Amino acid sequence: MNARANPPRLVIVGSIGLDTIQTPAALRTEIVGGSAAYAAMAASLFAPTGVVGVVGTDFPRSALRRMARRGVDLRGLQVVPGRTFRWSGVYEENMDVRRTVSTELNVFADFRPELPPDYRAAPYLFLANIAPALQVCVLDQMAAPKLIMADTMDLWIRETRKDLMNVLRRVQVVTLNESEARHLTGEHNLVVAARAILRMGPRMVLVKKGEHGSMLFHGKEIDLLPAYPLDRVRDPTGAGDSFAGGLMGRMAATRSRTPSAVLEAMRYGSVTASFNVEAFGWDRLARVRPAEMGRRLRRYRRMCGRS
Amino acid sequence: MNARANPPRLVIVGSIGLDTIQTPAALRTEIVGGSAAYAAMAASLFAPTGVVGVVGTDFPRSALRRMARRGVDLRGLQVVPGRTFRWSGVYEENMDVRRTVSTELNVFADFRPELPPDYRAAPYLFLANIAPALQVCVLDQMAAPKLIMADTMDLWIRETRKDLMNVLRRVQVVTLNESEARHLTGEHNLVVAARAILRMGPRMVLVKKGEHGSMLFHGKEIDLLPAYPLDRVRDPTGAGDSFAGGLMGRMAATRSRTPSAVLEAMRYGSVTASFNVEAFGWDRLARVRPAEMGRRLRRYRRMCGRS
């Protein structure tokens, strides 16, 4: 979609779609969403990012321009005849509970990721939430990424477990939320669950707990991170995707892959996600300025006793 | 009950009773419990602690000896004719939800705290969970404590709100859990709720989030602390009380009262509570050795990125 001189340092594959979101405060119809949309907007705050995905011809061109303006490389995004992927959900009881109302795969049903040649050499890869078989398809096209992180969801744990186990054997970091970690392992205790997931292949397991922060498990170690506290949350959609995107963008920018670098990058992810939930969809994320990011990061470090 | 040469540095008032606890794993009948029992056993790990409360003549003398052996000053504990306070509860769904089955006030119904003269000069006071009118009664007997922390619960917020507001005007720190902070203020957002509580009087508001950690609000600042992660929780009863007790014991030991000292003391409280929930009742807490405490504190600091 745009002409970039440089290959992306970070490649993100995932869903891009149109979301209809009802919160106690408001209803928004067909706004841009999807795991790769949030993750790419977040990551591109920190590093050159290329996105891999599919949209239909009904996808708003203004959204593509918004990504391109942020510097997201869209050459891996297929625009095909048909309707874009759609999701609709309702947040109940003060945003704590989310219920999916409907999902329409549309053009996603026949999607085969096809990476532009210079994407294949990217040193960082984020497999955002998407069918594990498609994650594998992207993995197979990459040369030798330095660090791969994969996200997943309950649906794939339940219905395509074998494909998911394949992914877990081939990535260094897996990120999932509390209930997914429990579902994947059948263990209620998070420490026990995370250690069981480590035995499935990845070197690090990143458990997301939403407003309660996140935990990084590696070897016998655990790193604990609180979430950035907000006095107003308008739309939690994309919090986990913008967290992971910010994290991987920061990793790509610093060219590191150690657990301590991941922990530091999680701080960037937390602050990125805190901006994201302040408005519907990616509206706030698309407007974040570097000075704001720096201020909130400094404040966050102080809150965590690292001033 | 015991002859101590020195007055306590920390005085704790609260309930002492016999709990019957059902978890998915086990049932325990009439084991020692109550906010002051847990808090005093925790605090006495760090500083000379005197307890104020009441038990009936049926209270096991072995439990009194256990507290005395730990060094808890029991001269403020009244032993009166009648039955000890009893509570019974059930933990469901993997310990996340607790339901009270029954409460018998018994000797608590007519309790009036009476402080031994040398308790009155103690520089630290913890008003553990008990009727606010009784908390006020203790406040009225104290000379000029350097730091007072109060705990409370939903029952008092609902039924004796005026007394509770009286307490809040007279303490420096109030500690409550998430749902209590919401209930007290009618605000779902914790940041907004905590700021509203600051306006009720206390200089610091400490919100306990159980396995998700704790938050300290003071002025416009927020300090965030994750909880110590455990791979096995046997009985969550007394987690908040041992957290608060460990915190106040540490404050009393270091003779400080600033927010940064409270934050550091919260780390001691978190680790103390982590021991407490590893066994039923106070069994594990009563056995903690200083070397174990030190090891777990060091491990906890490393987990929080403070190595």
Side-chain angles (χ1 to χ4, degrees):
Chain A
M1 302 291 306
N2 54 355
R4 285 186 71 93
N6 300 316
R9 283 198 63 76
L10 168 64
V11 168
I12 296 177
V13 60
S15 61
I16 300 176
L18 295 172
D19 290 351
T20 294
I21 297 165
Q22 169 96 62
T23 75
L27 167 72
R28 292 294 171 92
T29 308
E30 305 216 329
I31 61 179
V32 177
S35 60
Y38 284 108
M41 283 300 265
S44 58
L45 286 163
F46 306 107
T49 301
V51 73
V52 176
V54 65
V55 295
T57 38
D58 61 345
F59 192 75
R61 298 195 66 80
S62 59
L64 298 178
R65 281 197 301 272
R66 204 162 192 178
M67 282 196 270
R69 264 206 312 278
R70 168 62 69 68
V72 177
D73 186 330
L74 297 172
R75 288 171 302 143
L77 183 68
Q78 302 170 27
V79 183
V80 304
R83 272 167 71 79
T84 298
F85 170 75
R86 277 165 171 80
W87 175 81
S88 133
V90 177
Y91 290 90
E92 292 169 285
E93 300 169 34
N94 298 292
M95 317 267 185
D96 293 346
V97 181
R98 174 167 103 177
R99 188 166 50 83
T100 289
V101 173
S102 69
T103 304
E104 287 176 37
L105 282 183
N106 298 332
V107 296
F108 237 102
D110 301 310
F111 175 51
R112 294 306 295 170
E114 189 70 53
L115 274 59
D118 65 344
Y119 276 41
R120 297 168 196 236
Y124 293 84
L125 173 64
F126 176 40
L127 305 169
N129 181 23
I130 195 176
L134 296 178
Q135 293 178 324
V136 167
C137 175
V138 170
L139 275 172
D140 286 343
Q141 295 176 57
M142 295 293 289
K146 193 166 157 157
L147 188 83
I148 308 168
M149 183 165 85
D151 196 355
T152 193
M153 74 185 288
D154 276 350
L155 179 66
W156 317 127
I157 296 172
R158 201 168 53 240
E159 298 190 357
T160 61
R161 192 183 178 91
K162 204 178 145 199
D163 291 341
L164 176 58
M165 297 306 274
N166 245 327
V167 171
L168 292 185
R169 273 189 291 275
R170 295 176 63 180
V171 304
Q172 286 80 47
V173 193
V174 62
T175 175
L176 23 61
N177 67 33
E178 288 175 281
S179 70
E180 290 157 0
R182 288 172 177 144
H183 184 179
L184 179 57
T185 59
E187 273 292 346
H188 183 79
N189 181 288
L190 276 188
V191 176
V192 178
R195 288 189 179 141
I197 299 170
L198 280 176
R199 288 193 296 273
M200 296 173 184
R203 201 154 53 86
M204 298 175 232
V205 173
L206 202 182
V207 178
K208 294 173 289 186
K209 305 197 298 171
E211 62 169 323
H212 297 303
S214 52
M215 305 167 84
L216 181 69
F217 295 81
H218 50 101
K220 295 186 168 177
E221 299 297 312
I222 310 176
D223 294 311
L224 306 171
L225 205 64
Y228 187 92
L230 289 169
D231 57 14
R232 191 175 180 204
V233 173
R234 293 213 66 196
D235 173 16
T237 312
D241 302 313
S242 55
F243 169 79
L247 185 171
M248 285 300 285
R250 173 67 185 177
M251 292 301 287
T254 56
R255 300 168 186 242
S256 50
R257 58 180 167 185
T258 62
S260 68
V262 172
L263 174 63
E264 171 63 3
M266 283 161 63
R267 297 191 182 102
Y268 282 74
S270 295
V271 169
T272 305
S274 77
F275 283 111
N276 188 62
V277 300
E278 287 186 330
F280 270 84
W282 68 11
D283 284 359
R284 183 71 180 93
L285 196 57
R287 283 197 328 267
V288 176
R289 284 167 291 116
E292 293 178 303
M293 180 66 72
R295 266 199 304 278
R296 199 171 280 192
L297 266 165
R298 284 191 296 278
R299 175 139 207 254
Y300 183 48
R301 286 185 203 280
R302 204 163 62 232
M303 289 176 175
C304 297
R306 295 180 60 85
S307 56
Chain B
M1 301 293 303
N2 54 355
R4 283 186 73 91
N6 301 315
R9 284 197 61 76
L10 168 64
V11 168
I12 295 177
V13 59
S15 61
I16 299 176
L18 295 172
D19 290 351
T20 295
I21 298 165
Q22 170 96 62
T23 74
L27 166 72
R28 291 296 171 93
T29 307
E30 304 217 328
I31 61 178
V32 177
S35 61
Y38 283 109
M41 283 301 265
S44 57
L45 286 164
F46 307 107
T49 301
V51 72
V52 175
V54 65
V55 294
T57 37
D58 61 346
F59 192 75
R61 297 195 66 80
S62 59
L64 299 178
R65 281 196 302 271
R66 203 162 193 180
M67 283 197 269
R69 263 204 314 276
R70 167 62 69 70
V72 177
D73 185 330
L74 297 172
R75 288 171 303 142
L77 182 68
Q78 300 170 25
V79 184
V80 304
R83 270 168 72 79
T84 297
F85 170 76
R86 275 164 172 80
W87 175 81
S88 133
V90 177
Y91 290 90
E92 292 168 286
E93 302 168 33
N94 298 293
M95 317 269 185
D96 293 346
V97 180
R98 173 167 105 178
R99 187 166 50 82
T100 289
V101 173
S102 68
T103 305
E104 287 176 37
L105 282 184
N106 298 334
V107 296
F108 237 103
D110 301 311
F111 175 51
R112 294 306 293 170
E114 189 70 54
L115 273 60
D118 66 344
Y119 276 41
R120 298 167 196 238
Y124 293 84
L125 174 63
F126 175 41
L127 304 169
N129 181 22
I130 194 176
L134 297 178
Q135 293 178 324
V136 167
C137 175
V138 170
L139 275 173
D140 287 343
Q141 295 175 57
M142 295 293 289
K146 194 167 157 157
L147 188 82
I148 308 169
M149 183 165 87
D151 196 356
T152 194
M153 74 185 290
D154 276 350
L155 179 67
W156 317 126
I157 296 172
R158 200 168 55 239
E159 298 190 357
T160 62
R161 192 182 178 92
K162 205 178 145 198
D163 291 342
L164 176 59
M165 297 307 275
N166 246 326
V167 171
L168 292 184
R169 273 190 292 275
R170 295 176 65 180
V171 304
Q172 286 79 48
V173 192
V174 63
T175 175
L176 21 62
N177 66 33
E178 287 175 283
S179 70
E180 290 157 359
R182 287 171 177 144
H183 184 179
L184 179 58
T185 59
E187 273 292 347
H188 183 81
N189 182 288
L190 276 188
V191 176
V192 177
R195 288 188 179 141
I197 300 170
L198 280 176
R199 289 193 295 272
M200 296 174 184
R203 200 153 55 85
M204 299 174 232
V205 172
L206 201 182
V207 178
K208 294 173 289 187
K209 305 197 296 172
E211 63 170 322
H212 297 303
S214 53
M215 306 168 83
L216 181 69
F217 295 81
H218 50 100
K220 296 187 166 174
E221 300 298 313
I222 310 176
D223 294 312
L224 307 171
L225 204 64
Y228 186 92
L230 289 169
D231 56 15
R232 190 177 182 203
V233 173
R234 294 214 65 194
D235 172 17
T237 311
D241 302 313
S242 54
F243 170 78
L247 185 170
M248 285 299 284
R250 174 67 185 176
M251 293 300 286
T254 56
R255 302 171 185 240
S256 50
R257 58 181 167 185
T258 62
S260 68
V262 172
L263 173 63
E264 171 63 4
M266 284 161 64
R267 296 190 182 103
Y268 282 74
S270 295
V271 169
T272 304
S274 78
F275 283 111
N276 188 62
V277 300
E278 286 186 330
F280 270 84
W282 68 10
D283 285 359
R284 183 70 179 94
L285 196 56
R287 283 198 327 268
V288 175
R289 282 166 293 116
E292 294 178 303
M293 179 67 72
R295 267 198 305 276
R296 199 171 279 193
L297 266 166
R298 283 191 297 278
R299 174 137 207 253
Y300 184 48
R301 286 185 204 280
R302 205 163 64 230
M303 289 176 174
C304 297
R306 295 180 61 83
S307 57

